[in-house]
Amino acid sequence: MFPTVLGRDTMESDSEHPARGEPFWSNQCGSHPLSVAARARNRADLDLIDACLPDPEVDVNHHAARLSIRTGLGRGQCLALCDIGLLLQQLPALRQVIERTLSFSLPHLRAISTGVAGLNPEQLHAAEPHLVALLTPTRPNQAVIGVRRLSRLIGDLVAEYDDRARNDGTERAPKSEGVSLADAGDGAHSFVTAVLERDRATELLAAIAGIRNLEISRGNECTQAEALMKLVRGSSTAEIVINVYRDASGGPAWIDGAGWLSEVATEEWIRRATHIRISSDSTVEGYRPSESQAARVRGRDGTCRFPGCDVPAHKCDLDHIQPYNHDHPELGGPTDTQNLHCLCRRHHNLKTHEGWNIDRHPDGTEVWTSRDGDSATSVPTGPLKNVGKQTFSKRATRKIKTIRQRHMDWLLSFCEPVVKHFELTEADEKRIESLTDEELDAEIDRYLEGMEGKDLLDGD
């Protein structure tokens, strides 16, 4: 017997309307026929999932066969519905946000179910708040997260619990890097396959692109394959710039095209760095952005800024939000990082030729509106998206670290160089984050008062 699904008089009763100014997904509210139809479809999919929900002890093949007959769907599709239903039964908070917004399609739900399938029950429940956060908007009228991006983010989340459990379609890293050769089967070509860490692969492609662009600038025709051979033979070289983004206080680094790096890779790239740039907003004369502006914008945006598009920033054009006035530059459209954003070629053309309007806010949020009145909100996703912002917990931690480090530097100036340096323990940091500003200032005063009158060279 299949579960009974209660009928619903109106779909609007299921999709809550947020209060004015509250964040919501772009398809969550409004009476546009397409949004209404999309939410109705998502509601119907949830009803079908509920109807297909199996008893955990029922025979899989028997249940799948019955579902297939009743729904007309294939066995794999029926089992996917069962997997989603069982997951939502285990994670009620996740079910609640999905049912409340009705913003997520069946492919979204399949991406979630598939992505977390490798977690054990304890890990799954620990991950639930993070899954809910991924499905929760941060801005009014925010574009719904794309299925591919959601899948990758879930893969990253799952890997934090167990890298072996990652099941988002990302190929697991081989035991080692390598290069292999295979016949293409046409008697004239071969496949050369290189397995590299993401950052090293990004570096290789940048070198190939650099040589190709150099040859083209000299008036020579040059394919990517020819550029690769010139690189191998050493017959051509080109200077390339790879921007590595890292918070001044430490932590993992990020490379456009490779994403967040491991601790080992981060330290390797930091050692190789030849220039350090403090990223900031800037304006230049003329139409073409400077190299530092391009680095700033790509690091801030992370992807194409059209709502819902996840094309990586390094594959995007830099576009003037307010068009540059070539005849009278002083009249508008400045080449300023606040007036630049990343757009893939498709959405660059869409903005240019189809009349989309963009309202940009100081926090980097963009509201896109078509000439037909459709609108959605896009938020930056790169490592520089929060540059210039500081939470009180970060402020407290940095404040006490700075004062203590200053004291240690002064102390060590009287001594022979030592290897050991003072570091806050995890317990210290948690306690500091819980302090109010007044409590923190009082603790710093007590710490400094305790140092007065002490002989700092007596070994105490």
Side-chain angles (χ1 to χ4, degrees):
M1 178 180 293
F2 297 111
T4 300
V5 180
L6 299 179
R8 293 172 172 82
D9 294 333
T10 62
M11 191 270 305
E12 292 299 331
S13 63
D14 292 297
S15 180
E16 295 182 5
H17 290 259
R20 186 177 181 83
E22 290 294 316
F24 62 90
W25 296 114
S26 58
N27 67 349
Q28 185 178 343
C29 298
S31 57
H32 192 285
L34 285 176
S35 295
V36 172
R39 295 198 303 272
R41 171 64 181 270
N42 296 341
R43 174 72 269 173
D45 285 336
L46 283 173
D47 290 343
L48 181 59
I49 289 168
D50 288 340
C52 294
L53 184 65
D55 184 307
E57 301 304 318
V58 75
D59 180 77
V60 172
N61 291 327
H62 176 68
H63 189 70
R66 294 189 65 205
L67 291 180
S68 184
I69 291 173
R70 294 294 184 182
T71 63
L73 300 175
R75 182 177 187 276
Q77 293 172 299
C78 291
L79 291 179
L81 295 174
C82 293
D83 291 338
I84 296 170
L86 291 170
L87 176 68
L88 297 183
Q89 190 177 57
Q90 295 180 73
L91 304 180
L94 181 66
R95 166 75 186 229
Q96 184 180 29
V97 72
I98 291 171
E99 195 161 28
R100 183 179 71 247
T101 63
L102 295 179
S103 293
F104 302 100
S105 65
L106 187 58
H108 284 96
L109 304 186
R110 291 192 66 170
I112 299 171
S113 174
T114 302
V116 302
L119 295 179
N120 64 41
E122 181 180 349
Q123 294 169 333
L124 188 60
H125 283 93
E128 184 177 19
H130 303 288
L131 293 172
V132 170
L134 290 178
L135 303 188
T136 302
T138 59
R139 300 289 189 279
N141 204 32
Q142 184 174 335
V144 176
I145 185 171
V147 174
R148 286 190 303 174
R149 176 168 170 74
L150 176 63
S151 182
R152 287 199 300 270
L153 291 176
I154 291 175
D156 293 339
L157 172 63
V158 167
E160 292 181 12
Y161 293 94
D162 187 345
D163 189 52
R164 297 168 301 174
R166 185 164 192 151
N167 193 37
D168 61 336
T170 303
E171 291 187 15
R172 291 179 176 81
K175 293 182 179 179
S176 62
E177 298 176 313
V179 179
S180 61
L181 184 70
D183 184 61
D186 62 356
H189 299 88
S190 296
F191 292 114
V192 178
T193 303
V195 179
L196 302 171
E197 294 287 344
R198 290 183 301 175
D199 57 316
R200 289 155 68 90
T202 299
E203 183 179 7
L204 174 61
L205 291 178
I208 292 173
I211 291 176
R212 180 171 182 266
N213 293 337
L214 178 64
E215 292 296 324
I216 291 175
S217 69
R218 292 172 175 173
N220 303 322
E221 293 185 2
C222 185
T223 65
Q224 284 186 312
E226 290 169 338
L228 174 62
M229 293 310 301
K230 289 180 181 292
L231 178 65
V232 172
R233 295 166 179 162
S235 59
S236 179
T237 58
E239 181 176 308
I240 62 172
V241 175
I242 296 179
N243 291 300
V244 182
Y245 301 84
R246 193 188 194 192
D247 191 280
S249 63
W254 186 91
I255 293 179
D256 189 12
W260 293 102
L261 306 182
S262 67
E263 182 179 349
V264 173
T266 292
E267 295 306 320
E268 178 184 343
W269 278 97
I270 296 302
R271 284 195 300 269
R272 293 178 58 192
T274 58
H275 298 79
I276 297 177
R277 177 190 295 135
I278 304 299
S279 180
S280 62
D281 289 313
S282 61
T283 303
V284 298
E285 299 294 331
Y287 174 73
R288 188 173 297 278
S290 67
E291 180 184 314
S292 63
Q293 285 185 314
R296 167 80 172 181
V297 173
R298 296 188 194 282
R300 179 196 68 206
D301 290 350
T303 63
C304 170
R305 290 305 305 276
F306 185 83
C309 184
D310 58 2
V311 172
H314 74 283
K315 295 184 177 181
C316 293
D317 303 329
L318 290 188
D319 170 63
H320 288 73
I321 299 174
Q322 180 186 358
Y324 182 81
N325 191 323
H326 290 271
D327 296 327
H328 301 284
E330 71 281 0
L331 296 181
T335 304
D336 184 300
T337 49
Q338 294 289 334
N339 189 49
L340 295 169
H341 62 174
C342 295
L343 289 182
C344 67
R345 186 59 54 85
R346 174 180 297 173
H347 291 126
H348 194 169
N349 290 335
L350 182 74
K351 171 181 175 285
T352 301
H353 303 297
E354 298 299 329
W356 284 75
N357 181 66
I358 301 170
D359 291 319
R360 189 182 188 281
H361 298 278
D363 65 354
T365 297
E366 293 183 3
V367 179
W368 286 63
T369 306
S370 73
R371 58 189 176 192
D372 299 313
D374 302 302
S375 67
T377 301
S378 164
V379 296
T381 60
L384 299 183
K385 63 182 179 181
N386 291 322
V387 168
K389 300 178 182 178
Q390 182 178 222
T391 64
F392 279 95
S393 61
K394 288 182 179 179
R395 175 178 178 270
T397 301
R398 289 185 178 182
K399 192 173 182 180
I400 199 161
K401 278 185 176 180
T402 299
I403 290 177
R404 293 191 175 188
Q405 186 61 51
R406 186 185 305 141
H407 170 73
M408 290 303 298
D409 290 343
W410 176 75
L411 172 62
L412 292 174
S413 69
F414 293 92
C415 309
E416 293 296 324
V418 294
V419 175
K420 185 177 179 181
H421 296 280
F422 175 83
E423 290 186 1
L424 287 176
T425 66
E426 183 177 352
D428 285 333
E429 292 194 358
K430 288 183 177 179
R431 185 179 61 81
I432 291 169
E433 290 176 1
S434 68
L435 297 177
T436 65
D437 244 15
E438 291 76 15
E439 291 172 336
L440 178 62
D441 290 336
E443 177 157 328
I444 292 171
D445 289 339
R446 286 195 299 272
Y447 177 83
L448 295 179
E449 287 171 2
M451 293 295 102
E452 292 181 0
K454 283 193 174 183
D455 184 352
L456 298 177
L457 300 181
D458 63 3
D460 291 340

